Amino acid sequence: MPAQDPKAMVQKLWDFCDVLRDDGLSYGDYLEQLTYLLFLKMADEQYVMLGGGRIVPVEHDWQSLLSRSGAELEAHYSECLSALGTSEDMLGVVFHKARNRIQTPAKLEQLIKEFIDQHEWMSYDADLKGDAYEGLIEKTAQEGARGAGQYFTPRALINAIVDVMAPEPDHRICDPACGTGGFFLGAYRSIVERFPHLEPDQVAHLRSGAFSGWEIADLPARLCAMNMLLHGIESPESDSPIVVDDALRDPPGKPFDMVLTNPPFGRSSSDSYEREDFWATTRNKQLNFVQHVVSLLKIGGDAAVVVPDNVLFEAGAGETIRRRLLHDCDVHTLLRLPTGIFYAQGVKANVLFFRRREGAAEPWTRELWVYDLRTNKHFTLKQNPLTRADLDDFVACYRPDARHKRKESERFKRYAYDDLIARDKISLDLFWLRDESLEDADNLPPPDVLATEIAEDLEAALAEIQALAESLAASADATSA
């Protein structure tokens, strides 16, 4: 089969979405339908062409779609989706609560027979077909206000985080808010590139068992499962490494070597989580995720967690959690992220890096190094998107191979533990660079960047006000009770 360009494949798939837009199908809906159909097609190829076992029951397989037309095809496709979402394997995750959203039978038939069936998807190597699908997820995130965007972490940021975390072939890696699986794919690529001569047992572990995730929403969970399958991670009949559930509800089982995660930005939960392994009880989801990540790590395990600014300075439970985090873990690095890089707007975010340590009388954090990629940096999603090169200096300053040899620079500053603990409410909202735009009107960013930053500041302020109102309401309810 001739070589294919992932970008060209994405464009072909994307062009067909324009055909379906007239029916009111969103970008996210289209990607979801592609997930179902690509899965059925590849399961058929694995059985027919590659001699593998039957994954999908014959009455609901790809051939059963090809043998039907028109309204009969539409009705049968809907029946297949309904029936396939009941198993406990990857099949069940991909088809959980699935339903047909392509309402025109002729267009559904065209998509099935004139495009998807014309390609032998299993014959493409994992990177090709996986990169094509991942490109479609990214395009969906860019183009659609709802759908994949809210679950999508910028690829440049994922790659930089993975580069400094340096996962190993034998690691068990977890993401308790895995979205579409970006951190899993980033870690997988990093390991394969840095360890080209893996032992057979290491290859087997990397393909099945290395990654575990939780995702509370059906759409990103199915996109994650499909994304992993297309990259050669797990197989359709595998027990799913993705659990569709609220990760915060229960303490974890077996601990992990590494946690890489960007928890959802929605700040307040409808209730708090009463867990004995948590340091404080709070409705703040991000603070709960920080506590949960600590509980997921084995002693000596490492974490990189994207957190909004309020996690760094919030009083009450926030202060308690920061105090315990600094004491019980080696919190060694904080990356202050620029605005304008996330598809979910209105959040100023950071990446917190730490290692879980065993219990001790003395605090494990000796010093926190802060890298400021925010002050005097201006990015937008389309005109000036964040690239991996924008994070090169951070990766170099981080010194993943020799953190004890770090040196301060204009954007990289060291804070001793005693200085941190003496700050009001143990705030880790640390900055020192002068914001040039506040002092020199001639050096203001372009108007579109300014408008984006103002909108994000307003949305962040509204989120804080909403969270405060919910907190006051909860306190009033508790008092009246």
Side-chain angles (χ1 to χ4, degrees), residues 13 16-17 20 25-34 111:
L13 288 163
F16 195 82
C17 183
L20 297 171
L25 206 71
S26 73
Y27 296 114
D29 290 339
Y30 176 58
L31 184 60
E32 192 175 35
Q33 299 304 308
L34 280 176
L111 179 60

Side-chain angles (χ1 to χ4, degrees), residues 163-166 395-406:
D163 285 345
V164 299
M165 293 294 284
V395 173
C397 287
Y398 187 106
R399 297 296 298 269
D401 55 336
R403 283 197 281 115
H404 62 286
K405 293 184 179 180
R406 289 176 169 179

Side-chain angles (χ1 to χ4, degrees), residues 39-54:
F39 188 100
L40 293 172
K41 177 62 163 69
M42 289 196 301
D44 181 70
E45 290 176 8
Q46 189 163 318
Y47 173 66
V48 174
M49 295 165 46
L50 305 180
R54 181 176 289 281

